[in-house]
Amino acid sequence: MTPEALTPERILEATEDVLRRYGPAKATVVDVARALGVSHGSVYRHFRTKAALREAVTSRWLERTVVELAKITNGTEHPAPVRLRFWLTTLFEAKRHKAGDDPELFATYSVLIEENSGVVEEHIRELVTQLREIIEEGVRAEQFAFMEPSVAAQAVFDATARFHDPAYAPEWRKPTIDGDFAAVADLVLRGLSA
Amino acid sequence: MTPEALTPERILEATEDVLRRYGPAKATVVDVARALGVSHGSVYRHFRTKAALREAVTSRWLERTVVELAKITNGTEHPAPVRLRFWLTTLFEAKRHKAGDDPELFATYSVLIEENSGVVEEHIRELVTQLREIIEEGVRAEQFAFMEPSVAAQAVFDATARFHDPAYAPEWRKPTIDGDFAAVADLVLRGLSA
């Protein structure tokens, strides 16, 4: 690969592959460079340390969900209560797919998440901000009436933790989980409603 | 100790002491017998296996909270919404005290809980049943109007997981946790209210 073609995105893609293949304990920057056919110096030119590379790949993984959810947050087609339920459902679906479709990659990222708590905190802040935006709109439209929107947003996020916190991933395969999710979503939406 | 004085409760008390002192990996039935000044055969007369003893001590630990909460569930002084909030607060307080006051014992029981999932499931069933009873009363008194009470009870339990699931114990020391709890309790109670 020519140096020009070596974009951060290419490096992060290759890093994800390498992490999946070797596991987070063994994967090295040299493995990433080898997978790309470049020197490890070329990789270090974009990510100054192995830790920075691991942090960036974690951030990228979490960001995919944020981008998907932002489409719902910024949509105007449906009223806020409908959008809020769809947002919560989409978050649960996204996390469940990540856990179920590629369990090895999920396990890998679970390790990375442990070592990059700052990235996770930022991720949660972004999600709670999106929730707040939907709730604010619902309050303006008099569909929601309750609590300060940023307090409400955090409460909705906390109340639905069982359906997005990766610590609960083993429960997401239970046959009752969809009913459980629907009941909590009903309760939360009723709690917010004007 | 005479064989007559050797009650199951005495054995379980001694087992808890031994577990705290030696840790769940090392504690043996012989240690328990020695602490009581009896033969290990005397202990086995009450608990047929080491696993049965460990299960019984786990159950006893969880049961303390259930008994405390049952007083609230069966109280008639206050209306159901007040009792429900008090019940949730007491559950959170009880778990937080167990985690904070004696971290070694909490860590010990965290290990025991992992190996006695049946006991934990029964514990959760008891808690959700208590919630259902309070909600049923609130529905009868027309203070609550929402969902089938057993569905609502499970939803309330799930929505407050962050404040009773021991997996979240590290978060219970955060300065914002009481505000976070109050907001979720408000949301849940408003969701149930008639």
Side-chain angles (χ1 to χ4, degrees):
Chain A
M1 187 180 289
T2 62
E4 296 77 40
L6 189 68
T7 60
E9 181 56 27
R10 294 290 300 267
I11 295 172
L12 293 173
E13 259 171 47
T15 304
E16 190 175 273
D17 279 347
V18 164
L19 282 165
R20 183 198 272 116
R21 220 177 319 148
Y22 300 110
K26 288 192 190 150
T28 66
V29 174
V30 171
D31 295 326
V32 174
R34 192 179 301 127
L36 289 162
V38 301
S39 71
H40 63 275
S42 311
V43 175
Y44 280 123
R45 225 160 287 137
H46 291 273
F47 299 95
R48 299 180 62 123
T49 63
K50 183 179 162 182
L53 180 57
R54 287 166 83 96
E55 190 181 291
V57 80
T58 308
S59 176
R60 172 175 171 271
W61 193 62
L62 296 173
E63 205 54 26
R64 278 179 219 156
T65 308
V66 172
V67 168
E68 195 184 340
L69 291 168
K71 287 179 205 153
I72 300 168
T73 303
N74 301 323
T76 48
E77 224 177 304
H78 299 290
V82 173
R83 247 156 59 222
L84 184 62
R85 185 185 293 268
F86 187 43
W87 192 98
L88 292 170
T89 308
T90 303
L91 175 59
F92 181 31
E93 278 304 307
K95 296 273 174 174
R96 184 153 57 163
H97 274 295
K98 277 182 173 173
D101 296 350
D102 194 339
E104 272 155 48
L105 192 63
F106 190 74
T108 294
Y109 276 111
S110 300
V111 173
L112 290 173
I113 274 169
E114 287 292 318
E115 65 185 44
N116 291 287
S117 60
V119 172
V120 175
E121 277 167 32
E122 174 56 24
H123 174 62
I124 292 174
R125 258 195 302 278
E126 286 175 352
L127 294 179
V128 174
T129 300
Q130 289 195 21
L131 278 174
R132 197 197 68 218
E133 287 168 13
I134 300 175
I135 292 169
E136 280 170 344
E137 246 193 77
V139 170
R140 274 197 296 274
E142 295 179 16
Q143 291 145 339
F144 290 150
F146 184 47
M147 303 199 286
E148 211 273 301
S150 67
V151 175
Q154 185 66 49
V156 170
F157 191 76
D158 289 346
T160 52
R162 197 181 164 211
F163 310 101
H164 55 67
D165 188 326
Y168 286 102
E171 294 196 13
W172 299 341
R173 291 187 298 261
K174 286 189 181 171
T176 52
I177 197 76
D178 287 301
D180 290 348
F181 170 75
V184 169
D186 285 349
L187 184 66
V188 160
L189 277 155
R190 199 170 188 281
L192 290 174
S193 72
Chain B
M1 187 179 287
T2 62
E4 295 77 42
L6 190 67
T7 61
E9 182 56 26
R10 295 290 299 268
I11 295 171
L12 293 173
E13 261 171 46
T15 304
E16 190 175 272
D17 278 348
V18 164
L19 282 164
R20 184 198 271 115
R21 222 178 316 149
Y22 300 109
K26 286 190 190 151
T28 66
V29 174
V30 171
D31 296 325
V32 174
R34 193 180 299 127
L36 289 162
V38 301
S39 71
H40 64 275
S42 311
V43 175
Y44 280 124
R45 225 159 287 137
H46 290 274
F47 298 95
R48 299 180 63 124
T49 61
K50 182 179 163 183
L53 180 57
R54 286 165 84 96
E55 190 181 292
V57 80
T58 309
S59 175
R60 173 173 170 272
W61 194 61
L62 296 172
E63 205 56 24
R64 278 180 219 156
T65 309
V66 172
V67 168
E68 194 183 342
L69 291 168
K71 288 180 204 154
I72 300 168
T73 304
N74 301 322
T76 49
E77 224 177 305
H78 299 291
V82 173
R83 246 156 59 222
L84 184 61
R85 185 186 293 267
F86 186 42
W87 192 98
L88 292 170
T89 309
T90 304
L91 175 59
F92 181 31
E93 279 303 307
K95 297 272 175 175
R96 181 153 57 162
H97 274 296
K98 278 182 173 173
D101 297 350
D102 194 339
E104 272 154 49
L105 192 63
F106 190 74
T108 293
Y109 276 111
S110 299
V111 172
L112 291 173
I113 274 168
E114 286 292 319
E115 65 186 44
N116 291 287
S117 60
V119 172
V120 176
E121 278 167 31
E122 175 56 24
H123 174 62
I124 292 173
R125 258 195 302 277
E126 287 175 352
L127 294 179
V128 174
T129 300
Q130 290 195 23
L131 278 173
R132 198 198 67 217
E133 286 168 14
I134 301 174
I135 292 169
E136 279 171 343
E137 244 191 78
V139 170
R140 273 197 296 274
E142 294 178 17
Q143 291 146 339
F144 290 151
F146 184 47
M147 303 199 284
E148 211 273 299
S150 67
V151 175
Q154 185 66 50
V156 170
F157 192 75
D158 289 346
T160 52
R162 196 181 164 213
F163 310 100
H164 56 69
D165 189 325
Y168 286 101
E171 294 196 13
W172 298 342
R173 290 188 298 262
K174 285 189 183 172
T176 53
I177 196 77
D178 287 302
D180 290 349
F181 169 75
V184 169
D186 286 349
L187 184 66
V188 160
L189 276 156
R190 200 170 186 280
L192 290 174
S193 71

